[in-house]
Structures are given as structure tokens and as C-alpha cells.
Amino acid sequence: MRRKLFEVLTVSVLITALLAGCSEKNIEETEADAAASVASSAEEKEMTPADMRVGVFIYKLSDTYMSLFKDELIKDLVKAGFKEENITVVNSAVSQGYQMLQLRKLIASGVDILVVNPVNTSKTAEVTDLAMEAEVPLVYVNREPDAAEEIRWESESMPVTYIGCDARQAGTFQGKIIMDLGFENIDKNGDGVLQYIMVKGEKNNADTYFRTRYSIDALKKAGWNVEKLAEGNGNWDKNVAEYVVTEALEENPSPEVIICNNDMMAIGALEAVSKSGLVAGDDVYIIGADAFEVALEKILEGKIVGTVFNNYVEQARLTTGTILSYMKKQNVAHFYGSDYVKVTKENAETILGIIREGDETEEEY
Ligand code: BGC
């Protein structure tokens, strides 16, 4: 579906200018969408950012990635002229039912645009229906709805889009970072097979599924023999991951690689590894995804071997640009992706710089 979508997409000069800072590939739109000019609640009168009421629903606000994204989004919206008091942020507390309830409440009290980081990506049809009945454009972020949903937005010309990354790329990049270490260096026991532990995010999540699958596929495609010693769901959380890895190490004391679907879990894995007496970056290689500051520091210390940069700064800008496009009733595509970047000791400082200073750059809206 993603591939098909990209194939029919053509570059929009308009949105390119609006969403400066992302690659051309990521800011494409379908010509078919021209017909789908948005029937928003803002239709009758000319809206300005200062009038717009924005609802932002986050699956769990204590999630490191989502909290960084949310802060960045609010900063960007305010820069673009939105009023902070018109932005309602709702912590969905990992409950789909609660998210639906709060969505109904906010729609009833009046909202012009919804940004939803869904709790359960396979239940997004209900969220979409709710927003479409109320004629409120909808921007999904970070947790990608099912392919069937995206096909429906397109075929029914719905003012609905998804902004995030393609998790397949993250997995492939993780595999490549591992390969770059060289098989002879990783195969500590010299048996010709790479023994690994997989620490996964939440169940029923696209990032979990694709990062897990594509990291291993990349190794297999390169002809590496791999053996999974253990796997578990660390739910994107440092403490849960530490527990998962501690348990795994009891049965399998000598993994060669620990692949984690995100950085907080890589930090948890690192704790477990250190407590077990193994030396991370020497006896065993840990890899994450996201490029959080805390993980980048561990990469520079040589304790984590790499990560992939999940650029929340860019994704927040894309979201703000898309909200503005909906407001101005311009054409909006059904998918905007930002690219991941492979991060190792070589470029960790540069990425740290982007994170620390990137949000200070002046963006024109
Ligand atoms: C991020 C994780 C985050 C998760 C939340 C992923 O894309 O990499 O860090 O916890 O999204 O859904």
C-alpha cells in the first residue's frame, strides 16, 4: 500500500514550500486529492490560526517519544500563530475507550482539527468515523493505522492523513548498523551464527511489527545465520525492558546482540546487561531506535552500538504544516513520512546537536 501510494504521488510545490525542512519524497500528494478539498468545520468563515481549536490526543503522555513530540508540536503551533489556550492535549492513558470518550467530548464542545496518536491502531476506523461525522479533519501521528484504513481515506477522499516514519526503514537500518560491526566481531562464540535477544514494543503496533521483522530480514538477506534466543514485549518502556532482558539473560547468559524496538528499552536492556556482569559494547552489542539524548550519550560512551533517529522535530513541523493546509482548505496527501537516519558513534554528536538546537531554528509558516 505504501509503495503504491508513493508511486501515484506527485510533488506539490505548494506543500513543499509550506513544509520546509523535509525531503521532497516526503511531501508529496495525490492529484486525486485535489477533489478532496476539505470540508472542515471551518468551512463557512475564513479561519486564522488564532481562531483554530486544536485537539491533540496522545496514547500515553509518559511515553518519552510522544511527550517530546507533543512539546515540539505545541511550540511549532504557537510559532505559527495558534493560541496555546486553544490547544487541548488529552492523555489517553493507554485506553482506547477513554480516548474515544474524550474525543466525543471535545468534538461536542467544538474543535476544528484533531491530531490523534491512537491507542489501538486497529481501532482507528471508529476514530475516523467520529471525526468525519463531525466534519473535523484528522491527522494521525506516530502510530500508523491499518493499511485498510489508509485505502479508505483515499478512496472516499477523506480529510485524513498520517504523519510518521516508515518503520520498515528503521528495522532495515538497525540490521545495517549490526552488519557494519562485522560478523567476525559479533560472533563472540565463533559458531557461525548470530545469537540475539529481541526486545519488542507494544503488541499490535506497526512499529513493533516492522522494526522487529525488517531488522532480522536485513541480516538474513545479507546471508547471516541468526538465532533468536529470546524475545519479549518491553512496551516501549525502560523498566519493562530491563525486566524482559533480565529474565532472558537467566536462560541465555551469552547473547551476542540485543535488538530493541526503541531507545528507552535499549537503556533498560543496558541496565540488565550491566547487572548481569556482561560488558555492553564488548561482550554484547545493544541497539535501539529513536535517538533520544540519553541513548546518544550511551552511544558516545560505546555502551550502545547504534540507533536510528526518529525525527520528532520534523514530524511536529509536518503536523503543523498539515494543520495549516487543512485550515486553508489546501490539498493534503494521506501519508507524510519523515526519513530515519542511522546513528552510530560517528554521527551521534551531530544528531545531539539537532536535538538540542534543532527546535530553536526559525520556521516560516
Ligand atoms: C517510538 C517509541 C514510542 C512509540 C510510541 C515509536 O515510534 O519509536 O519510542 O514509544 O512510537 O508509539
Side-chain angles (χ1 to χ4, degrees):
M1 169 62 190
R2 173 60 15 74
R3 186 156 283 165
K4 236 175 120 200
L5 247 179
F6 273 131
E7 275 165 13
V8 294
L9 295 176
T10 54
V11 177
S12 155
V13 175
L14 194 68
I15 298 205
T16 305
L18 192 66
L19 306 177
C22 54
S23 65
E24 278 197 348
K25 178 177 139 248
N26 299 326
I27 45 177
E28 298 160 330
E29 60 175 333
T30 59
E31 282 173 345
D33 288 339
S37 238
V38 180
S40 78
S41 60
E43 204 164 47
E44 288 78 26
K45 59 173 179 136
E46 286 267 306
M47 296 283 276
T48 67
D51 307 317
M52 292 279 286
R53 294 157 301 174
V54 185
V56 181
F57 289 73
I58 304 292
Y59 93 100
K60 179 171 91 169
L61 264 186
S62 59
D63 180 285
T64 309
Y65 185 82
M66 290 320 303
S67 131
L68 287 167
F69 170 85
K70 182 263 296 169
D71 290 347
E72 196 64 28
L73 177 64
I74 292 176
K75 233 188 276 170
D76 271 354
L77 286 171
V78 170
K79 252 192 235 169
F82 292 78
K83 290 205 178 118
E84 202 161 345
E85 61 268 31
N86 291 343
I87 305 170
T88 308
V89 176
V90 178
N91 180 2
S92 303
V94 208
S95 160
Q96 180 66 26
Y98 184 72
Q99 186 167 74
M100 289 301 291
L101 184 76
Q102 294 303 317
L103 275 164
R104 282 199 185 90
K105 272 194 182 169
L106 196 69
I107 287 173
S109 72
V111 68
D112 301 301
I113 183 112
L114 287 168
V115 176
V116 177
N117 170 230
V119 174
N120 185 340
T121 48
S122 54
K123 292 271 192 275
T124 47
E126 292 169 40
V127 175
T128 305
D129 288 344
L130 203 64
M132 292 307 98
E133 274 159 31
E135 299 189 345
V136 177
L138 174 59
V139 182
Y140 284 109
V141 290
N142 175 259
R143 294 157 73 96
E144 189 172 356
D146 290 350
E149 255 292 277
E150 295 185 12
I151 291 168
R152 186 168 79 114
W153 310 338
E154 177 133 322
S155 66
E156 297 181 31
S157 298
M158 293 177 170
V160 185
T161 190
Y162 171 73
I163 293 173
C165 283
D166 184 346
R168 298 166 187 82
Q169 188 188 43
T172 304
F173 281 179
Q174 283 187 319
K176 291 205 167 131
I177 292 171
I178 294 169
M179 284 189 291
D180 286 345
L181 295 168
F183 191 81
E184 333 64 63
N185 297 322
I186 302 182
D187 184 24
K188 301 285 175 193
N189 60 9
D191 66 351
V193 181
L194 172 104
Q195 274 90 19
Y196 71 93
I197 293 173
M198 180 67 75
V199 188
K200 303 191 291 182
E202 276 178 311
K203 288 182 183 153
N204 302 320
N205 178 286
D207 282 9
T208 298
Y209 177 74
F210 288 123
R211 287 180 191 170
T212 300
R213 181 171 156 198
Y214 278 70
S215 54
I216 297 304
D217 277 3
L219 298 170
K220 286 186 182 161
K221 270 191 199 144
W224 286 33
N225 291 321
V226 296
E227 180 193 354
K228 181 169 68 192
L229 298 176
E231 68 175 355
N233 290 92
N235 294 345
W236 309 118
D237 184 272
K238 171 177 174 277
N239 295 328
V240 183
E242 183 180 341
Y243 175 76
V244 166
V245 176
T246 304
E247 292 263 288
L249 288 174
E250 274 165 25
E251 294 283 309
N252 311 280
S254 314
E256 289 158 341
V257 175
I258 303 181
I259 306 172
C260 305
N261 284 169
N262 83 343
D263 276 354
M264 290 324 286
M265 299 194 296
I267 298 289
L270 177 59
E271 294 273 327
V273 161
S274 305
K275 286 179 189 162
S276 81
L278 292 172
V279 179
D282 197 353
D283 301 324
V284 55
Y285 297 105
I286 300 172
I287 184 157
D290 278 332
F292 292 143
E293 218 168 311
V294 60
L296 292 170
E297 279 158 7
K298 296 294 174 203
I299 289 173
L300 290 168
E301 287 169 26
K303 300 239 184 308
I304 291 182
V305 82
T307 185
V308 285
F309 183 29
N310 192 358
N311 194 339
Y312 62 86
V313 177
E314 183 173 278
Q315 287 164 43
R317 278 188 201 142
L318 278 166
T319 306
T320 301
T322 302
I323 291 174
L324 285 167
S325 294
Y326 275 132
M327 186 195 80
K328 295 176 191 163
K329 302 188 196 85
Q330 291 166 335
N331 303 321
V332 175
H334 297 291
F335 177 88
Y336 292 108
S338 76
D339 276 325
Y340 287 102
V341 178
K342 275 192 273 169
V343 188
T344 59
K345 218 172 188 169
E346 277 74 59
N347 61 345
E349 281 290 0
T350 313
I351 305 293
L352 259 179
I354 295 176
I355 291 171
R356 289 182 181 152
E357 287 145 39
D359 44 12
E360 303 307 327
T361 54
E362 279 310 314
E363 190 64 29
E364 290 295 320
Y365 289 106

